Amino acid sequence: MTAAGTSYAGPTLEVEDLQTHFFTKAGAVKAVNGVSFTVAPGEVIGLVGESGSGKTVTGLSIMGLVDEPGRIVGGAIRFKGENLVGASEDRWQKLRGDRIAMIFQDPMMTLNPVLRIDTQMVEAIHAHRQVDKATARAEARDALGLVGIPAPEERLKTYPHQLSGGMRQRVAIAIALLNKPDLIVADEPTTALDVTIQAQIIYEAQQLCRRFGTALIWITHDLAVVAGLADHIAVMYAGRVVEAGTIDDVIDRPRHPYTVGLLGSVPSANKRGQRLNQIPGMAPNLLRLPPGCAFKDRCPRGDDLCLTEPTLQSQPNGRAFRCHHPHEPEGAA
Amino acid sequence: MLFMSFLVFSGVYVIGDPVDILISDEADAEDRQRAIEGLGLDKPFHIQYLTFLGRALQGDLGDSFIFEEPALGLILERMPATLELALSALLIAIVIGIPLGMWAGMRPESKSARVIMTGSILGFSLPTFWVGIMMMMLFAVQLRWLPSTGRGDTVDLLGIDVSFLTLDGLSHLAMPAINLALFNLALVLRLTRAGVKEVVHQDFIKFARAKGVGRRRIVLVHILKNIMIPVVTVLGLEFGGLVAFSIVTETVFAWPGMGKLLIESIGLLDRPVIVAYLTIILLFFVIINLVVDVLYSILDPRVRLQEVKS
Ligand SMILES: Nc1ncnc2c1ncn2[C@@H]1O[C@H](COP(=O)(O)OP(=O)(O)OP(=O)(O)O)[C@@H](O)[C@H]1O
Ligand code: SF4
Ligand SMILES: [Mg+2]
């Protein structure tokens, strides 16, 4: 099975008004509260937003890995046309690691400390394909080579604690690549790596998407990474996508006050190559979201109109934003 | 070890004078004196201790006052029975404790898990001898399913008498083994449950699921391998406790092991046997600690690396 194995021609993934809530003792935490985006084969979408905005939970929802007390309570996740919300655990298990793979945020915690690297890689292959052990090992070794791990044959025999954080993250990336998935959810995969390795991994990821038509969701805090890698970007705030569009549109001509805040208040010609800006104020409590726009308390443009929920305004070319008083499109151009 | 032997020896010394028990009241003073000299009990304490130590180093822990045989031989003769009992109890604790603990750890909110946990508290808190007597009343006296005391038929296995290979022996073994296992069963169960509860929420379990690995493999490989580290460590150390605690069970069920011999010897103030028993048990603990260290490094790759470094 390869990414091009089916005749399906539409987008690899369509997420539509996804809602994932955690039903805690204190009440329902609306971690994901209306997220929509689309990724086409070979395309990279960057998912950005402050800590706690629901990026990881969105990724886990796409993997069907949201655990109690969390639940997907609404919306659709269409993977190659098939809605996975409400799919059986068997169906999920077949897709996971085979067609949809995920790289986790914390490389120190993603590998089992008592199992060797080869064991953890070979089992990912055997979960989906009946190949003999030698073949599986050879594939594992090649995958390690692909992500730039030196002496992959020796690395196969090590335990996670014998590898650095960066090495472990590369192993996790290699594992995600093993079955040549159609979609990879990468949750801040390069944050733990140093800059040169980051660039290398990002380059490899791009190559991979082009070569195999893999769709990639890249979750990050780092605008420099998104700008250099992604085709589209979705900005999340308090469980919602507040602005989306092509990289050029969003970074050079942001419409939503939150995006403007993230990019820094002073308009300048080139926003690329910088980290997300700190915005004064606190993210709202997801247990008790205020009525209307969730960004109102921190928004310089907020007024009484913002006490009612702004609707998502969609424009051509995948451009969308959720605001009553958007910045003018020609303002920063 | 030397320090412990001193402690044991002096402890036994102050318990009481065996002469009073060994020699009948009718014996005259001269007989009495001869007996005391024969046993070496007329010497001052430190001489007795040094004599003991000198002999102990040559593997001679003295002769029993009662049986007039080497004390060590007496103990070793009874050791297989005790070991069989302790190993059976250990096996029961593992085979029942780990699956129940895993079950309870996977579904901590379920009713069955609560029942299991309540049961384990009983296993902890009820005194062994009381449970033993209750079991005997129920299964041996009331229901007459199992024999109440003794070891039953034994078979010679590599020069050691064992009960578990005959049906009669097995039926004799069942009750004392279960009785002795209860505490450790509860311990293994709770350890396993705590381990599972902690491990299931780790990222690496989620990552394994993200790879599409099946539930069976996740439980039996990813989770089990992680919780085996604390379980094996504690069980290894507890095995010494099992051997020592078998004193109670052996007494209740008249199981002819070292523990029963010890109780009898204490009753008769048979000092060499008591000292020999305690020395053997000490040796046992030392060996067990070594074995646990080895097992630990086999199970935990992180420990193995440190050894290579050092
Ligand atoms: N198991 C859970 N129970 C309750 N709330 C949860 C749970 N998991 C996540 N949340 C909540 O969901 C919200 C979104 O979390 P998420 O991890 O998706 O944020 P994030 O955007 O990935 O942040 P970061 O950049 O720090 O990784 C958080 O406010 C968090 O409190
Ligand atoms: S809707 Fe109002 S409060 Fe919300 S971002 Fe737009 S202007 Fe600010
Ligand atoms: Mg996150």
Side-chain angles (χ1 to χ4, degrees), chain A residues 43-47 202 206 216 218 224-233 246-248:
Chain A
E43 197 177 74
V44 182
I45 185 169
L47 210 55
I202 289 164
Q206 228 163 7
L216 184 58
W218 195 277
V225 170
V226 177
L229 173 71
D231 308 297
H232 289 262
I233 187 169
T246 62
I247 275 291
D248 292 339

Side-chain angles (χ1 to χ4, degrees), chain A residues 256-257 293 295-296 299 301-302 306 310 322-325:
Chain A
H256 196 282
C293 176
F295 188 55
K296 182 173 180 305
C299 182
R301 299 189 156 209
C306 305
R322 203 189 271 274
C323 178
H324 290 301
H325 309 291

Side-chain angles (χ1 to χ4, degrees), chain A residues 252-254 267-269 328-333:
Chain A
D252 295 337
R253 291 171 291 278
S268 87
E328 288 314 308
E330 52 283 339

Side-chain angles (χ1 to χ4, degrees), chain B residues 21-306:
Chain B
I21 293 179
L22 282 172
I23 298 162
S24 65
D25 292 341
E26 289 101 72
D28 56 30
E30 202 174 306
D31 278 347
R32 210 180 144 86
Q33 194 54 40
R34 209 174 324 114
I36 289 172
E37 273 168 27
L39 294 170
L41 290 173
D42 53 339
K43 312 258 170 48
F45 170 74
H46 66 275
I47 301 281
Q48 284 189 35
Y49 176 65
L50 288 176
T51 316
F52 160 76
L53 211 60
R55 289 198 192 140
L57 288 175
Q58 294 156 26
D60 176 9
L61 293 173
D63 287 358
S64 161
F65 296 161
I66 313 286
F67 300 98
E68 294 176 341
E69 280 178 49
L72 191 63
L74 278 172
I75 303 266
L76 290 181
E77 210 172 274
R78 311 287 184 99
M79 196 142 89
T82 297
L83 283 186
E84 185 178 22
L85 185 62
L87 283 172
S88 311
L90 188 71
L91 199 72
I92 292 171
I94 292 172
V95 169
I96 300 178
I98 290 181
L100 282 186
M102 292 193 76
W103 176 274
M106 304 290 287
R107 309 166 182 72
E109 302 299 325
S110 71
K111 217 175 222 155
S112 52
R114 292 213 176 129
V115 171
I116 291 170
M117 292 322 286
T118 315
S120 78
I121 292 174
L122 289 183
F124 262 134
S125 47
L126 294 179
T128 308
F129 77 90
W130 184 83
V131 176
I133 291 169
M134 287 301 131
M135 283 170 72
M136 209 141 111
M137 299 265 278
L138 184 63
F139 295 110
V141 181
Q142 294 284 332
L143 298 171
R144 295 181 177 283
W145 286 353
L146 295 168
S148 62
T149 56
R151 204 180 167 192
D153 297 341
T154 56
V155 176
D156 193 298
L157 181 74
L158 306 172
I160 299 166
D161 284 339
V162 293
S163 297
F164 74 93
L165 288 176
T166 69
L167 198 64
D168 182 52
L170 211 55
S171 71
H172 279 85
L173 179 63
M175 260 203 299
I178 292 171
N179 181 228
L180 186 58
L182 279 182
F183 179 85
N184 279 274
L185 201 161
L187 188 71
V188 170
L189 199 161
R190 296 190 81 92
L191 260 176
T192 307
R193 185 188 87 118
V196 170
K197 267 182 79 172
E198 198 191 308
V199 171
V200 284
H201 294 297
Q202 299 281 333
D203 266 6
F204 62 78
I205 296 299
K206 212 164 220 176
F207 188 64
R209 286 169 64 204
K211 291 191 292 191
V213 174
R215 194 177 163 77
R216 250 180 86 89
R217 189 175 161 85
I218 286 186
V219 172
L220 295 181
V221 177
H222 286 260
I223 296 181
L224 195 62
K225 263 210 151 178
N226 272 281
I227 58 165
M228 279 324 274
I229 296 165
V231 170
V232 166
T233 313
V234 171
L235 264 187
L237 298 176
E238 275 297 309
F239 184 66
L242 270 177
V243 173
F245 264 100
S246 68
I247 294 171
V248 177
T249 303
E250 284 179 13
T251 308
V252 172
F253 291 95
W255 184 264
M258 303 192 287
K260 188 160 162 287
L261 177 69
L262 174 76
I263 294 294
E264 287 162 4
S265 302
I266 290 174
L268 297 167
L269 289 176
D270 194 348
R271 265 189 221 164
V273 177
I274 301 171
V275 172
Y277 173 86
L278 293 174
T279 312
I280 294 274
I281 288 285
L282 263 173
L283 212 78
F284 225 85
F285 271 87
V286 172
I287 293 170
I288 286 170
N289 272 312
L290 280 174
V291 172
V292 169
D293 272 354
V294 171
L295 276 179
Y296 196 83
S297 66
I298 291 175
L299 282 171
D300 194 340
R302 287 160 290 194
V303 175
R304 246 177 285 165
L305 185 77
Q306 280 161 16

Side-chain angles (χ1 to χ4, degrees), chain A residues 90-109:
Chain A
D90 270 1
R91 180 67 191 134
W92 275 120
Q93 197 183 313
K94 279 218 180 68
L95 289 172
R96 262 186 229 135
D98 187 37
R99 302 296 85 223
I100 313 177
M102 184 161 175
I103 301 156
F104 285 25
Q105 200 163 353
D106 183 357
M108 303 310 271
M109 303 297 296

